[in-house]
């Protein structure tokens, strides 16, 4: 079976590799260490996106209202100095070009996903708040994932305040958005879920899970990476099969190569290609 072969291959690699694959709104076909926690990197930005839309639907935030683009943030560690994002560490000059001015939260939320902007993420967090992100994880049914601080909040990080995800929790979040776009659910309205998926469809970094798919296949996804970490979480929409969720989280150097990030990307792309090949056979795993 493809799943046994995948497990055997991944068992031989160093690091911790977690995975989840299954159709939307159905039990998983394949899981591997689904509840192992990993540093979230930028995958936590999907939970921030959900928190923003939930607040907008509750009437506590106006996503189209302009907010100040100011690179100064309160630490999650009480009494710690304020912190700032490093421009050279970001992926999106478009947000930095608005520093000192204003931008709508909706636009910032889009840049947070499509270009994985750290500055946009922290600006969104400033307005929605960490408790709202925790509520978003809870609404998705996440059991272990935590968003405890903003990005580059080093004082909080040194104090042990961190951001964690699991493959199962990311699958619940992405799968919940896909299911919620089709009918009312616990995350947001169908229109709100569809709007969030549209942002995830527009994500521009496609070197891992998306790279394992044929050209033209629609994928709503978010990846995240720092040294020694590479994650991808996606809902894939084949034209000839029901949509499915695929999440792969890696910590360490799972591909064992000299260029860890490039090798990890290739590993995720290979897993994605194998799951794509099995898309017609994604059924709940047998139990017994």
């Amino acid at each position: 079976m493809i799943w046994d072969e995948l497990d055997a291959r991944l068992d031989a690699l160093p690091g911790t590799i977690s995975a989840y694959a299954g159709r939307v709104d159905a039990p998983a076909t394949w899981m591997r260490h689904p509840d192992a926690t990993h540093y979230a990197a930028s995958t936590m930005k999907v939970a921030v996106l959900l928190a923003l839309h939930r607040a907008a639907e509750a009437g506590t935030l106006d996503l189209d209202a302009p907010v100040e683009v100011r690179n100064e943030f309160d630490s999650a560690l009480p009494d710690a100095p304020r912190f700032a994002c490093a421009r050279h560490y970001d992926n999106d000059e478009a947000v930095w070009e608005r520093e000192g001015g204003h931008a709508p939260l909706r636009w910032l939320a889009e840049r947070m996903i499509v270009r994985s902007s750290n500055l946009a993420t922290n600006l969104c967090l400033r307005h929605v708040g960490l408790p709202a992100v925790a509520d978003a994880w809870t609404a998705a049914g996440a059991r272990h994932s935590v968003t405890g601080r903003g990005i580059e909040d080093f004082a909080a990080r040194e104090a042990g305040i961190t951001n964690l995800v699991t493959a199962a929790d990311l699958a619940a979040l992405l799968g919940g958005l896909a299911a919620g776009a089709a009918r009312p659910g616990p995350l947001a309205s169908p229109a709100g879920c569809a709007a969030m998926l549209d942002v995830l469809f527009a994500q521009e970094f496609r070197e891992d899970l998306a790279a394992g798919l044929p050209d033209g296949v629609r994928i709503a996804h978010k990846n995240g990476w720092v040294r020694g970490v590479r994650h991808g979480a996606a809902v894939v929409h084949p034209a000839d099969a029901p949509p499915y969720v695929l999440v792969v989280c890696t910590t360490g150097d799972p591909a064992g190569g000299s260029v860890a990030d490039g090798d990890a990307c290739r590993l995720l792309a290979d897993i994605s290609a194998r799951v794509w090949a099995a898309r017609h056979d994604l059924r709940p795993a047998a139990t017994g």
Side-chain angles (χ1 to χ4, degrees), residues 42-49 112-113 116-118 121 151:
S42 290
T43 58
M44 51 78 77
K45 296 172 183 177
V46 183
V48 178
L49 179 69
M112 171 179 70
I113 299 297
S116 204
S117 169
N118 292 340
T121 302
I151 297 175

Side-chain angles (χ1 to χ4, degrees), residues 221-271:
H221 64 126
K222 184 71 190 81
N223 39 26
W225 61 93
V226 295
R227 183 182 297 275
V229 167
R230 187 86 198 191
H231 309 323
V235 180
V236 181
H237 290 253
D240 59 351
Y244 63 88
V245 179
L246 174 60
V247 180
V248 183
C249 298
T250 72
T251 297
D253 185 3
S258 59
V259 184
D261 190 59
D263 288 339
C265 285
R266 285 187 286 274
L267 175 65
L268 267 64
D270 181 66
I271 294 170

Side-chain angles (χ1 to χ4, degrees), residues 146-199:
V146 175
T147 302
R149 61 172 174 83
I151 297 175
E152 299 180 71
D153 184 352
F154 298 126
R157 184 186 69 180
E158 292 303 313
I161 301 171
T162 192
N163 301 324
L164 300 173
V165 292
T166 72
D169 288 349
L170 285 169
L173 178 54
L174 271 291
L177 291 177
R183 64 176 187 276
L187 299 189
S189 68
C193 288
M196 287 181 270
L197 285 175
D198 284 342
V199 175

Side-chain angles (χ1 to χ4, degrees), residues 6-284:
L6 264 174
D7 276 326
R9 181 191 175 201
L10 299 180
D11 284 344
L13 298 177
T16 301
I17 306 171
S18 302
Y20 179 108
R23 290 184 178 171
V24 170
D25 214 15
T29 301
W30 174 54
M31 290 190 293
R32 173 188 175 82
H33 308 312
D35 296 323
T37 54
H38 300 257
Y39 176 65
S42 290
T43 58
M44 51 78 77
K45 296 172 183 177
V46 183
V48 178
L49 179 69
L50 175 57
L52 288 165
H53 279 263
R54 286 169 61 85
E57 291 192 355
T60 58
L61 270 185
D62 179 358
L63 296 185
D64 295 311
V67 299
E68 184 181 7
V69 180
R70 175 168 47 91
N71 184 24
E72 184 181 38
F73 306 99
D74 291 331
S75 174
L77 180 66
D79 301 323
R82 290 183 171 179
F83 70 97
C85 292
R87 188 167 186 165
H88 72 274
Y89 189 61
D90 210 334
N91 300 300
D92 191 8
E93 275 296 306
V95 179
W96 288 91
E97 288 169 0
R98 300 214 185 181
E99 188 179 7
H102 292 77
L105 273 173
R106 190 183 306 277
W107 182 80
L108 290 169
E110 291 171 356
R111 304 310 295 181
M112 171 179 70
I113 299 297
V114 302
R115 289 298 303 173
S116 204
S117 169
N118 292 340
L119 178 57
T121 302
N122 285 346
L123 290 166
C124 289
L125 273 173
R126 171 186 289 159
H127 290 277
V128 75
L130 289 168
V133 182
D135 289 344
W137 280 119
T138 298
R143 297 188 298 156
H144 304 288
S145 295
V146 175
T147 302
R149 61 172 174 83
I151 297 175
E152 299 180 71
D153 184 352
F154 298 126
R157 184 186 69 180
E158 292 303 313
I161 301 171
T162 192
N163 301 324
L164 300 173
V165 292
T166 72
D169 288 349
L170 285 169
L173 178 54
L174 271 291
L177 291 177
R183 64 176 187 276
L187 299 189
S189 68
C193 288
M196 287 181 270
L197 285 175
D198 284 342
V199 175
L200 291 160
F201 278 124
Q203 210 267 107
E204 295 178 5
F205 294 98
R206 301 177 60 86
E207 61 269 37
D208 42 56
L209 295 182
L213 301 174
D215 290 343
V217 174
R218 300 183 74 222
I219 175 173
H221 64 126
K222 184 71 190 81
N223 39 26
W225 61 93
V226 295
R227 183 182 297 275
V229 167
R230 187 86 198 191
H231 309 323
V235 180
V236 181
H237 290 253
D240 59 351
Y244 63 88
V245 179
L246 174 60
V247 180
V248 183
C249 298
T250 72
T251 297
D253 185 3
S258 59
V259 184
D261 190 59
D263 288 339
C265 285
R266 285 187 286 274
L267 175 65
L268 267 64
D270 181 66
I271 294 170
S272 182
R274 291 168 186 257
V275 175
W276 168 263
R279 66 192 180 280
H280 297 293
D281 301 315
L282 292 174
R283 300 286 191 274

